[in-house]
Amino acid sequence: MKYLDEFRDADLVKIVLDKIHRVTKHPWVIMEICGGQTHSIMQNGIDQLLPPEIELVHGPGCPVCVTSLELVDKALAIASLPNVIMCSYGDMLRVPGSGKDLFSIRASGGQVKIVYSPLDAVKIAQANPDKEIVFFAVGFETTAPANLMSVIQAQSLGLKNFSVLVSQVTVPPAMHAILASSENRVQGFLAAGHVCSVMGYHEYLPIAAKYRIPIVVTGFEPLDILNGILMTVEQLEAGTFEVQNGYNRVVSKEGNLPAQALIKKVYMQCDRNWRGIGMIPMSGWCLRPEYVEFDAETRFSVENIKTKESEICIAGQILQGIKKPPQCPAFGTLCTPEAPLGATMVSSEGACAAYYRFARYEKEKS
Amino acid sequence: MTAEERPASIQGAVCPMPLRHYDKIVMGHGSGGRMTQDLITQCFAPYLSNPALDAGNDYATLSTNINGPLAVSTDAHIVSPLIFPGGDIGKLAVCGTVNDVAMSGAVPLGLTASFILEEGLSTQTLVEIVKSMAESALEAGVPIVAGDTKVVERGKADGLFISTAGIGHFPKIFAIGGAEAKPGDVVLISGTLGDHGIAVLTARGDLAFETQVKSDVAPLNHMIQQILAVAPHVHVLRDPTRGGLATTLNEIAEQSQVNITIDEKTIPVKPAVQTACEMLGFDPLYVANEGKLIVIVPENEADAALAIMKKNTYGIDACRIGRVIESPAGRVLLKTQIGATRVLDVMAGEILPRIC
């Protein structure tokens, strides 16, 4: 497949790997921001091929993982209401709330539909004028344009039965939070390629300068990831801390300007709770007041939500790169993809699920 | 003209004749009475005719002159949409059970089929599906010898459910089974993976893209007999249906308490299936197949088995994908295309499309 096969080519991979082995002289901790990158690293076994000096830790860039428990519980409560059809991306359905997930709401009679695009939810709203359609708009900057497009379309169609439950988060504040933590181990970042395809990478320049840390915009195929690692290690060994673009077939410095303009039009910055991590100031987006009629949180009064998180789960430490999944006492025993205690065990982008699916054998060997 | 002035309609004075030709299934078709008989004679009998079925008894008699054990299998079939590129629920029902029986090395003798019809199902659709069952049964050489229909109220089924059972006998006894894989064996696959799952998913029309992918649903009993003729010491035959290749190999590794290591580079996947999977965040190794066969065979018979598979219509893309080794027992490992090795796990629950 064009644009994929060449970035999975074993011979090219070997050339980059050899370079990484040659340039690596010191131990380095590098965080890949995005869950899609974590998935690719584990799926391809990239971590096994790196020099032992390089430790990859897995970042918070998994929307399923960081969507706050309060919002998951709110989604569950709204989905349980009669006359509501809750539309969601597929992998949100298994995310545990305080005791339930959207699958179990569906089994109890709630209407929950998997959509592949937010615009499908708008179509469902058009087709069901007597029902309330709610789209669970989760995600990072990557999904923001598509998510908000559903609001714009619903508005232009004059739909009164469509709303969105927004759980939109952004990467730079999370990087600040990780780097400012006293427990931080991260020395270099692989920035998330698709986030940067929307936002560009100029917003990482102040982070690299402030924390004196190299940041390399990185894609998702094995060659992309290895190239990102190589560029980061070269900087670390040379003592530089620049923002570099290792994914220039997709990402430009300024990003997708029309998409950014729409984001500014529909969303505004707000504080967000990150599951397992806590509140990060101004780390997300919510609807601007002029779009309040599309805000499911205002439309449905689902008060008295009491959240209850698993006491054993260490997802928060994993999402900040402080611990790795096998260090959790519940990993693979009390917590599995079939019965997840935390959201990181749910999505294929979640670090725990990726370790469980692809690297369990390593743990068993050791 | 006032109501009083209107002439009385003559039709109102006669007892209305019940309609005999329905274009949709109604509850009466499941009554067991005349309407059920009509349904059978119009929609089923003309296409599925064979001596055992035509005898019209509540049972079918099958004759075999072979002593020894019988192979029996049963399967329930649900699929949405009922008709999809490359097949339909009827073909799926016949091939599914024929294949399950054939995987034991048995020669299938006959099938039974029960139909749960939802009130409102188009009878034309039903006929099309029954015709397709007849074609598949003919191709497989396995008659449908007994059947039943029931009708449920609208909303209590999804158009049509079919439950089939099959029986087979063993002209020759083989030591074939999920627990028979041995270290040193070679793992063969009969062709490209994920075709059925992607064909059905795209046929639902939920996706913003279409594919030309057709379901691979096919009867594999003839190919299996051809394989066994040249490779009589085959250890495992299994079709990687729901859960895909990864889940099926895990079942075998667990049953046989061996390790199966497969090489990602050698696994055949059609470019269109790969593309659809990339877009949805699926892994083709977990996507369903309905006309593929995993053959686990000793090394000395592997080439013969592979050569004969490649000659069969349903095995043209057959290839070696891996090996059975001793440990770690119960595990499937994947040698990735970039040369690392990782666990290839069973599927957890439903495959869910990724957010981004």
Coordinates of all heavy atoms in Angstrom, one line a residue, chain A residues 75-121:
Chain A
A75 N -21.8 10.7 30.3 CA -22.3 10.1 29.1 C -23.2 8.9 29.4 O -24.2 8.6 28.7 CB -21.1 9.6 28.3
L76 N -22.8 8.1 30.4 CA -23.6 6.9 30.8 C -25.0 7.3 31.2 O -26.0 6.7 30.9 CB -22.9 6.1 31.9 CG -21.5 5.5 31.5 CD1 -20.8 4.9 32.7 CD2 -21.6 4.5 30.4
A77 N -25.0 8.4 32.0 CA -26.3 8.9 32.6 C -27.2 9.4 31.5 O -28.4 9.1 31.4 CB -26.0 10.0 33.6
I78 N -26.6 10.2 30.5 CA -27.4 10.7 29.4 C -27.9 9.6 28.5 O -29.0 9.5 28.1 CB -26.6 11.7 28.6 CG1 -26.3 13.0 29.5 CG2 -27.3 12.2 27.3 CD1 -25.3 14.0 28.8
A79 N -27.0 8.6 28.3 CA -27.3 7.5 27.4 C -28.4 6.6 28.0 O -29.2 5.9 27.3 CB -26.1 6.6 27.1
S80 N -28.6 6.7 29.3 CA -29.6 5.9 30.0 C -31.0 6.6 29.9 O -32.0 6.0 30.3 CB -29.3 5.7 31.5 OG -28.0 5.2 31.6
L81 N -31.0 7.9 29.6 CA -32.3 8.6 29.5 C -33.1 8.1 28.4 O -32.6 7.7 27.3 CB -32.0 10.1 29.3 CG -31.3 10.9 30.4 CD1 -31.0 12.3 30.0 CD2 -32.1 10.9 31.7
P82 N -34.5 8.0 28.7 CA -35.3 7.6 27.6 C -35.3 8.6 26.5 O -35.0 9.8 26.7 CB -36.7 7.5 28.2 CG -36.6 8.4 29.5 CD -35.2 8.4 29.9
N83 N -35.5 8.2 25.3 CA -35.6 9.0 24.1 C -34.2 9.6 23.6 O -34.2 10.4 22.7 CB -36.5 10.2 24.4 CG -37.2 10.6 23.1 OD1 -37.6 9.7 22.3 ND2 -37.4 11.9 22.9
V84 N -33.1 9.1 24.3 CA -31.8 9.6 23.8 C -31.1 8.6 23.0 O -31.1 7.4 23.4 CB -30.9 10.0 25.0 CG1 -29.5 10.2 24.6 CG2 -31.4 11.3 25.7
I85 N -30.5 8.9 21.9 CA -29.5 8.0 21.2 C -28.1 8.6 21.4 O -27.8 9.7 21.0 CB -29.8 7.9 19.7 CG1 -31.3 7.4 19.5 CG2 -28.8 7.0 19.0 CD1 -31.7 7.3 18.0
M86 N -27.3 7.9 22.1 CA -25.9 8.3 22.4 C -25.0 7.8 21.2 O -25.0 6.6 21.0 CB -25.4 7.8 23.7 CG -24.0 8.1 24.0 SD -23.5 9.8 24.2 CE -24.2 10.2 25.8
C87 N -24.4 8.7 20.5 CA -23.5 8.2 19.5 C -22.0 8.4 19.9 O -21.7 9.4 20.5 CB -23.7 9.1 18.2 SG -25.4 8.9 17.6
S88 N -21.2 7.4 19.6 CA -19.9 7.5 20.1 C -18.9 6.8 19.2 O -19.3 5.9 18.4 CB -19.8 6.7 21.5 OG -18.5 6.6 21.9
Y89 N -17.6 7.2 19.2 CA -16.6 6.4 18.6 C -16.6 5.1 19.3 O -16.8 5.0 20.5 CB -15.2 7.1 18.8 CG -15.1 8.4 18.1 CD1 -14.8 9.6 18.8 CD2 -15.2 8.5 16.7 CE1 -14.7 10.8 18.1 CE2 -15.0 9.7 16.0 CZ -14.7 10.9 16.7 OH -14.6 12.1 16.1
G90 N -16.2 4.0 18.5 CA -16.3 2.7 19.0 C -15.6 2.4 20.3 O -16.1 1.8 21.2
D91 N -14.3 2.9 20.4 CA -13.6 2.4 21.5 C -13.9 3.1 22.8 O -13.4 2.8 23.9 CB -12.1 2.3 21.3 CG -11.5 3.5 20.7 OD1 -12.3 4.5 20.4 OD2 -10.3 3.6 20.4
M92 N -14.9 4.1 22.8 CA -15.4 4.6 24.1 C -16.4 3.7 24.7 O -16.7 3.8 25.9 CB -16.1 6.0 23.8 CG -15.1 7.2 23.6 SD -13.9 7.4 24.8 CE -14.8 7.9 26.3
L93 N -16.9 2.7 24.0 CA -18.0 1.9 24.5 C -17.6 1.0 25.7 O -18.4 0.6 26.5 CB -18.7 1.1 23.4 CG -19.9 1.7 22.8 CD1 -19.5 3.0 22.0 CD2 -20.7 0.8 21.9
R94 N -16.3 0.6 25.7 CA -15.8 -0.3 26.7 C -15.2 0.4 27.9 O -14.7 -0.2 28.8 CB -14.8 -1.3 26.1 CG -15.4 -2.7 26.1 CD -14.3 -3.8 25.9 NE -13.2 -3.4 25.1 CZ -12.9 -3.9 23.9 NH1 -13.8 -4.8 23.3 NH2 -11.8 -3.6 23.2
V95 N -15.1 1.8 27.8 CA -14.4 2.5 28.9 C -15.2 2.4 30.1 O -16.4 2.8 30.2 CB -14.2 4.0 28.5 CG1 -13.6 4.8 29.6 CG2 -13.3 4.1 27.2
P96 N -14.6 1.9 31.2 CA -15.3 1.8 32.4 C -15.6 3.2 33.1 O -14.7 4.0 33.2 CB -14.4 1.0 33.3 CG -13.1 1.2 32.8 CD -13.2 1.5 31.3
G97 N -16.9 3.4 33.4 CA -17.2 4.6 34.2 C -17.2 4.1 35.7 O -16.4 3.1 36.0
S98 N -17.9 4.7 36.6 CA -17.9 4.2 37.9 C -18.8 3.0 38.0 O -19.9 3.1 38.5 CB -18.4 5.3 38.9 OG -17.7 6.5 38.7
G99 N -18.4 1.9 37.5 CA -19.2 0.6 37.6 C -19.8 0.2 36.3 O -20.1 -1.0 36.2
K100 N -20.0 1.0 35.4 CA -20.7 0.6 34.1 C -19.9 1.1 32.9 O -19.0 1.9 33.0 CB -22.1 1.2 34.1 CG -23.1 0.5 34.9 CD -24.5 1.1 34.6 CE -25.6 0.3 35.4 NZ -26.9 0.9 35.3
D101 N -20.3 0.6 31.7 CA -19.8 1.2 30.5 C -20.9 1.3 29.5 O -22.0 0.9 29.8 CB -18.6 0.3 29.9 CG -19.0 -1.1 29.6 OD1 -20.2 -1.4 29.4 OD2 -18.1 -2.0 29.5
L102 N -20.6 1.9 28.4 CA -21.7 2.2 27.4 C -22.3 0.9 26.9 O -23.5 0.8 26.6 CB -21.3 3.1 26.3 CG -21.1 4.6 26.6 CD1 -20.4 5.3 25.5 CD2 -22.5 5.2 26.8
F103 N -21.5 -0.2 26.8 CA -22.0 -1.5 26.4 C -23.1 -2.0 27.3 O -24.2 -2.5 26.9 CB -20.9 -2.5 26.3 CG -20.2 -2.6 25.0 CD1 -18.9 -2.5 24.9 CD2 -20.9 -2.8 23.8 CE1 -18.2 -2.6 23.7 CE2 -20.3 -2.9 22.6 CZ -18.9 -2.8 22.5
S104 N -22.8 -1.8 28.6 CA -23.8 -2.3 29.6 C -25.1 -1.4 29.6 O -26.2 -1.9 29.9 CB -23.2 -2.5 31.0 OG -22.8 -1.3 31.5
I105 N -24.9 -0.1 29.3 CA -26.1 0.7 29.2 C -26.9 0.3 28.0 O -28.1 0.2 28.1 CB -25.6 2.2 28.9 CG1 -24.8 2.7 30.1 CG2 -26.8 3.1 28.6 CD1 -25.6 2.9 31.4
R106 N -26.3 -0.1 26.9 CA -27.0 -0.6 25.7 C -27.7 -1.9 26.1 O -28.9 -2.1 25.7 CB -26.0 -0.8 24.6 CG -26.7 -1.1 23.3 CD -25.8 -0.8 22.1 NE -24.9 -1.8 21.8 CZ -24.0 -1.8 20.8 NH1 -24.0 -0.8 20.0 NH2 -23.2 -2.8 20.6
A107 N -27.0 -2.8 26.8 CA -27.7 -4.0 27.2 C -28.9 -3.8 28.1 O -29.8 -4.6 28.1 CB -26.6 -5.0 27.8
S108 N -28.9 -2.7 28.8 CA -30.0 -2.5 29.7 C -31.1 -1.7 29.0 O -32.0 -1.2 29.7 CB -29.5 -1.7 31.0 OG -28.3 -2.1 31.5
G109 N -31.0 -1.5 27.7 CA -32.1 -0.8 27.0 C -31.7 0.6 26.5 O -32.5 1.2 25.8
G110 N -30.6 1.1 26.9 CA -30.2 2.5 26.4 C -29.8 2.4 25.0 O -29.4 1.3 24.5
Q111 N -30.0 3.5 24.2 CA -29.7 3.4 22.8 C -28.3 4.0 22.6 O -28.1 5.2 22.9 CB -30.7 4.2 22.0 CG -32.1 3.5 22.0 CD -32.8 3.9 20.7 OE1 -32.4 3.6 19.6 NE2 -33.9 4.6 20.9
V112 N -27.4 3.2 22.2 CA -26.0 3.6 22.0 C -25.6 3.2 20.7 O -25.7 2.0 20.3 CB -25.0 3.0 23.1 CG1 -23.6 3.5 22.9 CG2 -25.5 3.4 24.5
K113 N -25.1 4.1 19.8 CA -24.7 3.7 18.5 C -23.2 4.0 18.3 O -22.8 5.1 18.6 CB -25.5 4.5 17.4 CG -26.8 3.8 17.1 CD -27.5 4.6 15.9 CE -28.9 4.2 15.8 NZ -29.2 3.0 15.0
I114 N -22.5 3.1 17.6 CA -21.1 3.4 17.2 C -21.2 4.2 15.9 O -21.9 3.8 15.0 CB -20.3 2.1 17.0 CG1 -20.1 1.4 18.3 CG2 -19.0 2.4 16.3 CD1 -19.4 0.1 18.2
V115 N -20.5 5.3 15.8 CA -20.4 6.0 14.6 C -18.9 6.1 14.2 O -18.0 6.0 15.0 CB -21.0 7.4 14.6 CG1 -22.5 7.4 14.8 CG2 -20.4 8.3 15.7
Y116 N -18.7 6.1 12.9 CA -17.3 6.2 12.3 C -16.9 7.6 12.1 O -15.8 7.9 12.0 CB -17.2 5.4 11.0 CG -17.6 3.9 11.3 CD1 -18.8 3.4 11.1 CD2 -16.5 3.1 11.6 CE1 -19.1 2.1 11.4 CE2 -16.8 1.7 11.9 CZ -18.1 1.2 11.7 OH -18.4 -0.1 12.0
S117 N -17.9 8.5 12.0 CA -17.7 9.9 11.8 C -18.7 10.7 12.6 O -19.9 10.3 12.7 CB -17.8 10.2 10.3 OG -18.1 11.6 10.1
P118 N -18.3 11.9 13.2 CA -19.3 12.7 13.9 C -20.4 13.1 13.0 O -21.5 13.3 13.5 CB -18.4 13.9 14.3 CG -17.0 13.5 14.3 CD -16.9 12.4 13.2
L119 N -20.2 13.2 11.7 CA -21.2 13.6 10.8 C -22.3 12.5 10.7 O -23.5 12.8 10.3 CB -20.7 14.0 9.4 CG -19.6 15.1 9.5 CD1 -19.2 15.5 8.0 CD2 -20.1 16.3 10.2
D120 N -22.0 11.3 10.9 CA -23.0 10.2 11.0 C -24.0 10.5 12.1 O -25.2 10.2 11.9 CB -22.3 8.8 11.2 CG -21.5 8.4 10.0 OD1 -21.6 9.0 8.9 OD2 -20.7 7.5 10.2
A121 N -23.5 11.0 13.2 CA -24.4 11.4 14.3 C -25.4 12.4 13.8 O -26.6 12.4 14.2 CB -23.6 11.8 15.5

